[in-house]
Amino acid sequence: MVEKLLGVLGGMGPLASAQFMVRLTLLTPAEQDQEHIPTVLWSDPRVPPRTAARLAGGADPLPAMLRGIRGLEAAGCGAIAIPCNTAHGWYGSMRDATSLPILHIVDAAAADLARQGVAPGRIGLMGTAATLAMRLYQNKLEGAGWDCLVPDEAEMRRLVTPAIDLVKANRVAEAYPPLAEVARGLAARGARAVVLGCTEIPLGLAAGPALPFPIIDTIDALARTSIAWALD
Amino acid sequence: MVEKLLGVLGGMGPLASAQFMVRLTLLTPAEQDQEHIPTVLWSDPRVPPRTAARLAGGADPLPAMLRGIRGLEAAGCGAIAIPCNTAHGWYGSMRDATSLPILHIVDAAAADLARQGVAPGRIGLMGTAATLAMRLYQNKLEGAGWDCLVPDEAEMRRLVTPAIDLVKANRVAEAYPPLAEVARGLAARGARAVVLGCTEIPLGLAAGPALPFPIIDTIDALARTSIAWALD
């Protein structure tokens, strides 16, 4: 029986955190309910949009995220996972506001690059405009030898950003073609793997045929890191 | 923006409550994160098995379920949904222990039978041995004119019970053939619809071709009832 209680600060977006719960369950080695990981998911989709806050002067999401962290602390959680990449732009502020460890999604992605045997060199990186602009991935991964190739501004505006919004509006299948086009473009420009650095992106890409190169799904990566924490 | 906070007492099993979160999200009319339903999922798979408690003198699950209800109350939830049919065998004890409304999964199933236009008469009912023995569905549905045809004891032992256990062990695809065989058998014996009165059953049946008769998926039914509560 797993006695550690995982906290999930979710709702950013809600489908991504629901799918995180599905993948957390399916990736756990368990023969019966009682071997699965006790988890509290705080799914608060009212958190102000993270990209607008960072790039366009929108409302600050930090107070709502800290309310969620207070809720997870009160529930007795021992660590926190946040299945939203852009929210990690406030990682330092959240870390400073709680004594609980927060499992960093970029560390989880780096561990998954290693797990999949992706050698140092050029990789593709998709994410929200804010995640790319904050260099959340580039700063951590380039130190480890992975060079991040990102979509250009026109691809972001025409394909990636609208596709992320389609997933949040439950129009998941429509998000596949634009996301697959961008991922294929990165691979064609020399990326030997593509990191899906926004948790809406793997939801859209699951709606169509698998892509023929290694994909780092940050929902799965964070689930694996969470399972390792819980079973340690 | 939805201001009501839904509480989900889950983990029974964990994949069913994760899938409940997915369906709750996909069935909500929403164009952006902020129009989705704020939810706290208390996923505690350590709750002692409900069927063993009811039929074989196993440990009482009620204390663990009440701990979850206390957690959802403390989080500020306004109502509770429990995506586990067998747990509703303790519905009265839970209702008496909280001031929050608990959305009853059998009422949700009855509403879905009506929504799908299933006329009074013979319907099929699948569930755990405890759910069938407690007559959770029969007592409520037969008063409304739906006669419940259930699998026989050999089908339960050979097909339904092992299939539910396969889902809890993450062996979801293997659960399809036995569950589909039983559902088809009920239809062949005159059931004009089949109620999946255990939230593991729709997970297994989603792993293969759709069945050619109306299905009442109690994950979806409870999600619809929860959305109606939240948006009311």
Side-chain angles (χ1 to χ4, degrees):
Chain A
M1 197 123 90
V2 186
E3 285 303 338
K4 285 181 174 174
L5 180 62
L6 176 69
V8 181
L9 186 64
M12 303 177 283
L15 192 59
S17 49
Q19 180 67 6
F20 174 83
M21 295 300 301
V22 169
R23 297 300 297 162
L24 180 77
T25 307
L26 289 174
L27 291 169
T28 297
E31 292 292 323
Q32 51 181 335
D33 282 359
Q34 290 71 25
E35 293 165 15
H36 283 280
I37 298 170
T39 308
V40 176
L41 164 63
W42 190 279
S43 180
D44 189 354
R46 295 167 300 186
V47 177
R50 282 67 62 196
T51 296
R54 191 56 76 176
L55 297 185
D60 183 4
L62 184 63
M65 296 194 289
L66 293 181
R67 272 197 300 280
I69 289 175
R70 292 289 97 80
L72 295 170
E73 288 171 342
C77 296
I80 294 176
I82 308 176
C84 170
N85 286 272
T86 316
H88 285 70
W90 289 263
Y91 183 87
S93 302
M94 291 190 280
R95 182 198 54 208
D96 293 348
T98 181
S99 61
L100 299 181
I102 303 178
L103 310 173
H104 201 298
I105 200 164
V106 179
D107 293 339
D112 206 52
L113 280 163
R115 186 186 67 84
Q116 294 198 40
V118 178
R122 177 172 287 190
I123 60 170
L125 169 64
M126 296 168 69
T128 63
T131 293
L132 303 187
M134 291 187 286
R135 297 186 53 84
L136 282 182
Y137 275 84
Q138 296 92 318
N139 290 345
K140 284 213 182 209
L141 295 187
E142 291 179 3
W146 288 296
D147 270 328
C148 296
L149 186 65
V150 302
D152 65 30
E153 233 176 277
E155 288 173 314
M156 287 299 297
R157 199 173 43 239
R158 186 172 63 85
L159 299 168
V160 179
T161 302
I164 292 170
D165 288 341
L166 284 169
V167 172
K168 290 175 181 291
N170 289 337
R171 294 164 59 184
V172 179
E174 295 168 65
Y176 179 84
L179 293 172
E181 178 181 338
V182 173
R184 283 199 200 95
L186 293 169
R189 288 156 63 196
R192 49 182 66 167
V194 176
V195 175
L196 310 181
C198 164
T199 52
E200 269 72 39
I201 296 176
L203 302 172
L205 285 176
L211 295 168
F213 40 82
I215 289 292
I216 310 302
D217 174 338
T218 52
I219 293 180
D220 275 23
L222 188 62
R224 289 181 194 279
T225 293
S226 301
I227 293 165
W229 171 80
L231 302 186
D232 181 28
Chain B
M1 197 124 93
V2 186
E3 285 304 337
K4 285 180 173 174
L5 180 62
L6 176 69
V8 181
L9 186 65
M12 305 178 281
L15 191 59
S17 48
Q19 178 67 6
F20 174 83
M21 294 301 299
V22 169
R23 296 300 296 161
L24 179 77
T25 306
L26 289 174
L27 291 169
T28 297
E31 292 293 323
Q32 52 182 333
D33 283 359
Q34 290 71 26
E35 293 166 15
H36 283 279
I37 298 170
T39 308
V40 176
L41 165 62
W42 190 279
S43 180
D44 190 354
R46 296 167 299 185
V47 177
R50 284 66 62 195
T51 296
R54 190 57 78 173
L55 299 183
D60 183 4
L62 185 62
M65 295 195 290
L66 293 182
R67 270 197 301 280
I69 289 176
R70 291 290 95 85
L72 295 171
E73 288 171 340
C77 297
I80 294 176
I82 308 174
C84 170
N85 286 270
T86 315
H88 285 71
W90 288 263
Y91 183 87
S93 302
M94 290 189 280
R95 182 197 53 206
D96 294 348
T98 181
S99 61
L100 298 182
I102 303 177
L103 309 174
H104 200 299
I105 201 167
V106 180
D107 294 338
D112 206 51
L113 280 162
R115 186 186 67 82
Q116 294 199 39
V118 178
R122 177 172 287 189
I123 59 170
L125 169 64
M126 297 170 68
T128 64
T131 293
L132 303 186
M134 292 188 285
R135 298 185 55 81
L136 281 182
Y137 275 85
Q138 298 92 320
N139 290 345
K140 283 213 183 207
L141 295 187
E142 290 179 4
W146 288 296
D147 271 329
C148 295
L149 186 66
V150 301
D152 65 30
E153 233 175 278
E155 288 173 313
M156 287 299 297
R157 199 173 41 241
R158 186 171 63 84
L159 301 168
V160 179
T161 302
I164 291 170
D165 288 341
L166 284 170
V167 172
K168 289 175 183 291
N170 288 338
R171 294 164 59 186
V172 178
E174 294 169 64
Y176 180 85
L179 293 171
E181 178 182 339
V182 173
R184 283 198 200 95
L186 293 169
R189 288 155 65 196
R192 50 182 67 167
V194 176
V195 175
L196 310 182
C198 165
T199 51
E200 269 73 39
I201 297 177
L203 301 173
L205 286 176
L211 295 168
F213 40 82
I215 290 291
I216 310 301
D217 173 339
T218 52
I219 292 179
D220 275 23
L222 188 62
R224 288 180 194 279
T225 293
S226 301
I227 293 165
W229 171 81
L231 301 187
D232 182 27

